[in-house]
Amino acid sequence: MIAAAYSAAGVLVFVTASTLILVGAIGVIAVKNPVHAAISLIVTLFGVAVAFVAQSADFLAAVQIIVYAGAIVVLFLFVIMFLGVDRRDDVRVEALVGQRPLALAGVLITIAGLITLMARSHWVTGATSVSTTGAPLATGQGNVRQLGTAVFTTDLFAFEATAVLLIIAVVGAVLLARRERRVDDTFDDERNVEVSS
Amino acid sequence: MNVPAAWYLVVGALLFGVGAYGLLTRRSALIMFMCIELMLNAVNLTFVTFSRTLSDVAGQASVFFVMVVAAAEVTVGLGIVVAVFRRRASTSIDEMSELHG
Protein backbone atom coordinates (compact mmCIF):
# COMPACT_ATOMS: atom_id res chain seq x y z
CA MET A 1 0.00 0.00 0.00
CA ILE A 2 2.48 2.60 -1.12
CA ALA A 3 1.79 5.51 -3.37
CA ALA A 4 3.96 4.20 -6.15
CA ALA A 5 1.62 1.27 -6.63
CA TYR A 6 -1.11 3.47 -8.03
CA SER A 7 -1.25 4.93 -11.50
CA ALA A 8 0.50 8.23 -11.95
CA ALA A 9 -2.51 9.77 -13.71
CA GLY A 10 -4.83 8.90 -10.84
CA VAL A 11 -2.45 10.35 -8.27
CA LEU A 12 -2.02 13.49 -10.36
CA VAL A 13 -5.77 13.97 -10.68
CA PHE A 14 -6.20 13.40 -6.95
CA VAL A 15 -3.49 15.91 -6.04
CA THR A 16 -4.94 18.50 -8.44
CA ALA A 17 -8.49 18.03 -7.18
CA SER A 18 -7.57 18.08 -3.50
CA THR A 19 -5.36 21.14 -3.95
CA LEU A 20 -8.19 23.00 -5.68
CA ILE A 21 -10.66 21.89 -3.00
CA LEU A 22 -8.59 22.81 0.04
CA VAL A 23 -7.11 26.05 -1.33
CA GLY A 24 -10.55 27.25 -2.34
CA ALA A 25 -12.08 26.26 1.01
CA ILE A 26 -9.41 28.07 2.99
CA GLY A 27 -9.89 31.06 0.69
CA VAL A 28 -13.62 31.12 1.47
CA ILE A 29 -13.07 31.36 5.22
CA ALA A 30 -9.96 33.56 5.13
CA VAL A 31 -10.64 36.45 2.77
CA LYS A 32 -12.45 39.59 3.80
CA ASN A 33 -14.18 40.57 0.61
CA PRO A 34 -17.33 38.49 -0.01
CA VAL A 35 -16.75 38.60 -3.78
CA HIS A 36 -13.34 36.98 -3.34
CA ALA A 37 -14.93 34.38 -1.09
CA ALA A 38 -17.43 33.57 -3.84
CA ILE A 39 -14.59 33.19 -6.36
CA SER A 40 -12.78 30.86 -3.94
CA LEU A 41 -16.00 28.90 -3.60
CA ILE A 42 -15.98 28.38 -7.38
CA VAL A 43 -12.43 26.99 -7.11
CA THR A 44 -13.57 24.50 -4.48
CA LEU A 45 -16.64 23.49 -6.48
CA PHE A 46 -14.49 22.95 -9.56
CA GLY A 47 -12.11 20.77 -7.54
CA VAL A 48 -15.03 18.70 -6.31
CA ALA A 49 -16.20 18.34 -9.92
CA VAL A 50 -12.73 17.07 -10.89
CA ALA A 51 -12.93 14.55 -8.06
CA PHE A 52 -16.37 13.49 -9.33
CA VAL A 53 -15.02 12.86 -12.82
CA ALA A 54 -12.12 10.89 -11.40
CA GLN A 55 -14.59 8.64 -9.58
CA SER A 56 -16.89 7.94 -12.54
CA ALA A 57 -19.61 10.38 -11.57
CA ASP A 58 -19.61 12.22 -14.88
CA PHE A 59 -23.19 13.41 -14.80
CA LEU A 60 -22.82 14.76 -11.27
CA ALA A 61 -19.67 16.63 -12.29
CA ALA A 62 -21.57 18.36 -15.07
CA VAL A 63 -24.44 19.15 -12.72
CA GLN A 64 -21.94 20.40 -10.16
CA ILE A 65 -20.54 22.93 -12.63
CA ILE A 66 -23.92 23.95 -14.02
CA VAL A 67 -25.91 24.16 -10.80
CA TYR A 68 -23.28 25.20 -8.27
CA ALA A 69 -20.81 27.32 -10.21
CA GLY A 70 -23.39 28.43 -12.73
CA ALA A 71 -26.42 29.12 -10.57
CA ILE A 72 -25.68 29.14 -6.87
CA VAL A 73 -22.46 31.16 -6.96
CA VAL A 74 -24.04 33.58 -9.44
CA LEU A 75 -26.92 33.95 -6.99
CA PHE A 76 -24.39 34.66 -4.23
CA LEU A 77 -22.64 37.26 -6.39
CA PHE A 78 -25.96 38.80 -7.33
CA VAL A 79 -26.92 39.21 -3.67
CA ILE A 80 -23.45 40.59 -2.82
CA MET A 81 -23.76 43.18 -5.57
CA PHE A 82 -27.32 43.93 -4.53
CA LEU A 83 -26.32 44.54 -0.92
CA GLY A 84 -23.15 46.50 -1.69
CA VAL A 85 -19.68 45.23 -2.44
CA ASP A 86 -17.79 47.36 0.03
CA ARG A 87 -19.32 45.83 3.14
CA ARG A 88 -16.47 43.80 4.50
CA ASP A 89 -16.43 41.45 7.39
CA ASP A 90 -13.56 42.26 9.72
CA VAL A 91 -12.06 38.83 10.31
CA ARG A 92 -9.60 40.02 12.94
CA VAL A 93 -12.13 41.06 15.58
CA GLU A 94 -13.28 38.20 17.73
CA ALA A 95 -16.85 38.74 18.78
CA LEU A 96 -17.07 36.09 21.47
CA VAL A 97 -14.29 35.38 23.92
CA GLY A 98 -12.56 32.14 23.02
CA GLN A 99 -14.74 31.53 19.97
CA ARG A 100 -11.93 30.67 17.60
CA PRO A 101 -9.95 28.31 19.86
CA LEU A 102 -13.15 26.50 20.80
CA ALA A 103 -14.22 26.29 17.16
CA LEU A 104 -10.77 25.03 16.17
CA ALA A 105 -10.80 22.42 18.92
CA GLY A 106 -14.26 21.22 17.98
CA VAL A 107 -13.38 21.01 14.30
CA LEU A 108 -10.15 19.14 14.99
CA ILE A 109 -12.01 16.66 17.19
CA THR A 110 -14.58 16.20 14.42
CA ILE A 111 -11.96 15.62 11.73
CA ALA A 112 -9.99 13.25 13.94
CA GLY A 113 -13.17 11.37 14.78
CA LEU A 114 -14.15 11.06 11.12
CA ILE A 115 -10.72 9.86 10.04
CA THR A 116 -10.51 7.42 12.94
CA LEU A 117 -13.96 6.10 12.09
CA MET A 118 -12.95 5.59 8.47
CA ALA A 119 -9.64 3.99 9.39
CA ARG A 120 -11.10 1.55 11.88
CA SER A 121 -14.10 0.47 9.85
CA HIS A 122 -14.22 -1.91 6.95
CA TRP A 123 -15.98 0.52 4.64
CA VAL A 124 -12.82 1.41 2.82
CA THR A 125 -10.90 -1.81 2.51
CA GLY A 126 -12.29 -4.94 0.98
CA ALA A 127 -15.74 -3.62 0.16
CA THR A 128 -15.12 -3.64 -3.58
CA SER A 129 -14.39 -7.32 -3.73
CA VAL A 130 -17.57 -8.36 -1.95
CA SER A 131 -19.84 -6.05 -3.94
CA THR A 132 -20.59 -8.24 -6.92
CA THR A 133 -24.35 -7.92 -7.00
CA GLY A 134 -24.99 -4.71 -8.92
CA ALA A 135 -23.46 -3.76 -12.22
CA PRO A 136 -20.23 -1.80 -11.88
CA LEU A 137 -20.39 1.94 -12.18
CA ALA A 138 -20.17 3.08 -15.77
CA THR A 139 -18.79 6.31 -17.13
CA GLY A 140 -20.12 8.74 -19.70
CA GLN A 141 -23.54 7.89 -21.10
CA GLY A 142 -23.70 4.72 -19.07
CA ASN A 143 -23.39 6.77 -15.90
CA VAL A 144 -26.30 8.95 -16.96
CA ARG A 145 -28.36 5.85 -17.71
CA GLN A 146 -27.57 4.24 -14.37
CA LEU A 147 -28.30 7.40 -12.42
CA GLY A 148 -31.49 8.08 -14.35
CA THR A 149 -32.69 4.54 -13.75
CA ALA A 150 -32.01 4.88 -10.03
CA VAL A 151 -33.67 8.28 -9.74
CA PHE A 152 -36.78 7.37 -11.74
CA THR A 153 -37.37 3.94 -10.26
CA THR A 154 -36.11 3.35 -6.74
CA ASP A 155 -35.96 7.00 -5.73
CA LEU A 156 -39.05 8.17 -7.58
CA PHE A 157 -40.87 9.35 -4.48
CA ALA A 158 -37.88 11.41 -3.33
CA PHE A 159 -37.57 12.83 -6.84
CA GLU A 160 -41.19 13.98 -6.83
CA ALA A 161 -40.68 15.40 -3.35
CA THR A 162 -37.78 17.50 -4.63
CA ALA A 163 -40.12 18.93 -7.27
CA VAL A 164 -42.49 20.03 -4.53
CA LEU A 165 -39.54 21.37 -2.52
CA LEU A 166 -38.32 23.48 -5.43
CA ILE A 167 -41.79 24.95 -5.98
CA ILE A 168 -42.02 25.81 -2.27
CA ALA A 169 -38.54 27.37 -2.37
CA VAL A 170 -39.38 29.52 -5.37
CA VAL A 171 -42.63 30.74 -3.82
CA GLY A 172 -40.89 31.38 -0.50
CA ALA A 173 -38.04 33.31 -2.13
CA VAL A 174 -40.46 35.49 -4.08
CA LEU A 175 -42.46 36.13 -0.93
CA LEU A 176 -39.35 37.02 1.08
CA ALA A 177 -37.83 39.27 -1.56
CA ARG A 178 -41.08 41.09 -2.28
CA ARG A 179 -40.98 44.66 -1.09
CA GLU A 180 -44.07 45.24 1.01
CA ARG A 181 -45.09 48.67 2.11
CA ARG A 182 -45.14 49.41 5.79
CA VAL A 183 -45.68 52.58 7.69
CA ASP A 184 -42.70 52.10 9.98
CA ASP A 185 -40.37 50.99 7.21
CA THR A 186 -37.96 53.90 7.13
CA PHE A 187 -35.28 52.09 5.20
CA ASP A 188 -37.27 51.90 2.00
CA ASP A 189 -36.91 54.95 -0.11
CA GLU A 190 -40.09 56.47 -1.38
CA ARG A 191 -39.46 55.91 -5.06
CA ASN A 192 -39.45 52.14 -4.88
CA VAL A 193 -42.52 52.09 -2.70
CA GLU A 194 -44.37 54.18 -5.20
CA VAL A 195 -43.25 52.02 -8.09
CA SER A 196 -44.27 48.81 -6.42
CA SER A 197 -47.65 50.01 -5.22
CA MET B 1 -7.81 6.01 -11.59
CA ASN B 2 -7.11 3.51 -8.86
CA VAL B 3 -6.34 5.98 -6.12
CA PRO B 4 -7.60 4.46 -2.87
CA ALA B 5 -10.94 5.77 -1.67
CA ALA B 6 -9.48 6.68 1.72
CA TRP B 7 -7.58 9.57 0.19
CA TYR B 8 -10.75 11.17 -1.11
CA LEU B 9 -12.48 10.47 2.19
CA VAL B 10 -9.74 12.31 4.07
CA VAL B 11 -10.06 15.26 1.68
CA GLY B 12 -13.80 15.23 2.29
CA ALA B 13 -13.27 15.23 6.06
CA LEU B 14 -10.82 18.13 5.80
CA LEU B 15 -13.20 20.09 3.58
CA PHE B 16 -16.01 19.49 6.06
CA GLY B 17 -13.76 20.71 8.89
CA VAL B 18 -12.78 23.88 7.04
CA GLY B 19 -16.43 24.61 6.30
CA ALA B 20 -17.44 23.98 9.90
CA TYR B 21 -14.69 26.25 11.20
CA GLY B 22 -15.77 29.04 8.88
CA LEU B 23 -19.41 28.57 9.88
CA LEU B 24 -18.49 28.81 13.56
CA THR B 25 -16.19 31.82 13.32
CA ARG B 26 -17.38 34.09 10.50
CA ARG B 27 -20.19 36.53 11.20
CA SER B 28 -21.33 37.57 7.75
CA ALA B 29 -24.45 35.63 6.83
CA LEU B 30 -23.30 35.36 3.21
CA ILE B 31 -19.97 33.79 4.17
CA MET B 32 -21.78 31.42 6.51
CA PHE B 33 -23.95 30.26 3.62
CA MET B 34 -20.83 29.66 1.55
CA CYS B 35 -19.40 27.59 4.40
CA ILE B 36 -22.58 25.52 4.48
CA GLU B 37 -22.04 24.92 0.78
CA LEU B 38 -18.50 23.75 1.56
CA MET B 39 -19.82 21.25 4.10
CA LEU B 40 -22.48 19.99 1.70
CA ASN B 41 -19.81 19.52 -0.97
CA ALA B 42 -17.68 17.56 1.48
CA VAL B 43 -20.59 15.22 2.10
CA ASN B 44 -21.21 14.96 -1.65
CA LEU B 45 -17.58 14.01 -2.21
CA THR B 46 -17.86 11.33 0.45
CA PHE B 47 -21.07 10.01 -1.12
CA VAL B 48 -19.44 9.73 -4.54
CA THR B 49 -16.35 8.07 -3.08
CA PHE B 50 -18.42 5.43 -1.33
CA SER B 51 -20.48 5.04 -4.48
CA ARG B 52 -17.34 4.17 -6.39
CA THR B 53 -16.01 1.95 -3.61
CA LEU B 54 -19.21 -0.07 -3.30
CA SER B 55 -20.07 0.06 -7.04
CA ASP B 56 -23.53 1.29 -6.15
CA VAL B 57 -25.20 4.19 -7.92
CA ALA B 58 -27.42 5.00 -4.92
CA GLY B 59 -24.71 7.26 -3.52
CA GLN B 60 -24.73 9.32 -6.69
CA ALA B 61 -28.52 9.54 -6.53
CA SER B 62 -28.15 10.87 -2.98
CA VAL B 63 -25.72 13.53 -4.23
CA PHE B 64 -28.31 14.51 -6.83
CA PHE B 65 -30.90 15.09 -4.11
CA VAL B 66 -28.40 16.94 -1.90
CA MET B 67 -27.73 19.31 -4.79
CA VAL B 68 -31.45 20.00 -5.22
CA VAL B 69 -31.88 20.66 -1.50
CA ALA B 70 -28.80 22.91 -1.50
CA ALA B 71 -30.20 24.96 -4.37
CA ALA B 72 -33.51 25.39 -2.56
CA GLU B 73 -31.75 26.24 0.70
CA VAL B 74 -29.57 28.90 -0.90
CA THR B 75 -32.56 30.44 -2.66
CA VAL B 76 -34.59 30.80 0.53
CA GLY B 77 -31.57 31.69 2.65
CA LEU B 78 -30.45 34.50 0.41
CA GLY B 79 -34.03 35.75 0.29
CA ILE B 80 -33.96 35.92 4.08
CA VAL B 81 -30.59 37.73 3.98
CA VAL B 82 -31.98 40.30 1.55
CA ALA B 83 -35.11 40.78 3.66
CA VAL B 84 -33.07 41.23 6.84
CA PHE B 85 -30.64 43.56 5.12
CA ARG B 86 -33.49 45.79 4.05
CA ARG B 87 -34.51 46.22 7.66
CA ARG B 88 -31.12 46.31 9.40
CA ALA B 89 -28.70 47.44 6.65
CA SER B 90 -26.29 44.73 7.76
CA THR B 91 -25.58 41.08 7.08
CA SER B 92 -23.76 40.49 10.36
CA ILE B 93 -25.53 37.90 12.42
CA ASP B 94 -24.35 39.56 15.63
CA GLU B 95 -26.78 42.38 15.02
CA MET B 96 -29.78 40.08 14.82
CA SER B 97 -30.18 39.85 18.55
CA GLU B 98 -33.80 40.75 19.15
CA LEU B 99 -34.63 37.29 20.41
CA HIS B 100 -31.83 36.91 22.96
CA GLY B 101 -32.96 36.48 26.53
Side-chain angles (χ1 to χ4, degrees), chain A residues 31-50:
Chain A
V31 300
K32 274 189 276 188
N33 194 332
V35 177
H36 297 167
I39 302 298
S40 299
L41 185 61
I42 291 182
V43 174
T44 294
L45 299 176
F46 193 78
V48 173
V50 171

Side-chain angles (χ1 to χ4, degrees), chain B:
Chain B
M1 300 298 177
N2 50 3
V3 173
W7 296 9
Y8 281 106
L9 294 178
V10 169
V11 170
L14 290 176
L15 179 59
F16 187 88
V18 171
Y21 180 77
L23 183 68
L24 289 172
T25 54
R26 295 300 295 264
R27 283 168 296 142
S28 167
L30 286 167
I31 307 287
M32 291 174 74
F33 269 117
M34 292 183 199
C35 292
I36 292 175
E37 296 304 316
L38 290 182
M39 294 164 76
L40 286 172
N41 270 279
V43 175
N44 282 352
L45 183 59
T46 310
F47 263 130
V48 168
T49 305
F50 277 124
S51 177
R52 182 194 68 160
T53 307
L54 304 173
S55 291
D56 191 351
V57 84
Q60 296 190 9
S62 303
V63 172
F64 182 78
F65 292 125
V66 169
M67 282 181 179
V68 174
V69 172
E73 168 244 331
V74 164
T75 309
V76 176
L78 290 180
I80 292 174
V81 168
V82 170
V84 169
F85 184 84
R86 239 183 234 148
R87 187 138 318 235
R88 309 299 306 268
S90 168
T91 59
S92 172
I93 54 157
D94 281 342
E95 306 203 1
M96 304 173 200
S97 58
E98 285 91 350
L99 286 178
H100 79 86

Side-chain angles (χ1 to χ4, degrees), chain A:
Chain A
M1 295 291 282
I2 55 173
Y6 307 111
S7 73
V11 174
L12 187 64
V13 168
F14 170 78
V15 169
T16 307
S18 55
T19 306
L20 285 174
I21 289 170
L22 293 177
V23 167
I26 290 171
V28 169
I29 69 167
V31 300
K32 274 189 276 188
N33 194 332
V35 177
H36 297 167
I39 302 298
S40 299
L41 185 61
I42 291 182
V43 174
T44 294
L45 299 176
F46 193 78
V48 173
V50 171
F52 281 1
V53 171
Q55 302 191 79
S56 67
D58 298 357
F59 177 74
L60 289 176
V63 172
Q64 172 92 2
I65 295 296
I66 294 170
V67 171
Y68 267 113
I72 291 183
V73 175
V74 169
L75 192 61
F76 270 116
L77 287 172
F78 181 76
V79 171
I80 290 167
M81 296 295 176
F82 182 69
L83 301 183
V85 191
D86 55 346
R87 301 179 187 281
R88 296 189 175 194
D89 194 15
D90 194 359
V91 294
R92 286 186 298 275
V93 178
E94 203 173 13
L96 299 173
V97 176
Q99 183 186 16
R100 291 195 181 149
L102 284 177
L104 191 62
V107 164
L108 286 180
I109 289 172
T110 304
I111 293 175
L114 283 173
I115 292 177
T116 309
L117 191 65
M118 290 184 292
R120 293 176 61 86
S121 66
H122 293 287
W123 298 342
V124 177
T125 58
T128 310
S129 58
V130 300
S131 169
T132 56
T133 53
L137 281 180
T139 59
Q141 285 188 338
N143 174 248
V144 179
R145 186 174 295 116
Q146 281 183 338
L147 190 57
T149 306
V151 165
F152 284 106
T153 55
T154 54
D155 299 330
L156 183 63
F157 182 73
F159 182 72
E160 299 293 340
T162 58
V164 177
L165 177 72
L166 282 175
I167 295 292
I168 293 172
V170 168
V171 172
V174 169
L175 199 66
L176 281 169
R178 197 166 56 97
R179 193 182 283 266
E180 53 184 314
R181 61 181 311 169
R182 286 176 185 274
V183 187
D184 57 345
D185 202 348
T186 56
F187 187 72
D188 284 347
D189 55 354
E190 292 297 316
R191 288 179 292 111
N192 286 337
V193 174
E194 284 176 4
V195 165
S196 66
S197 60

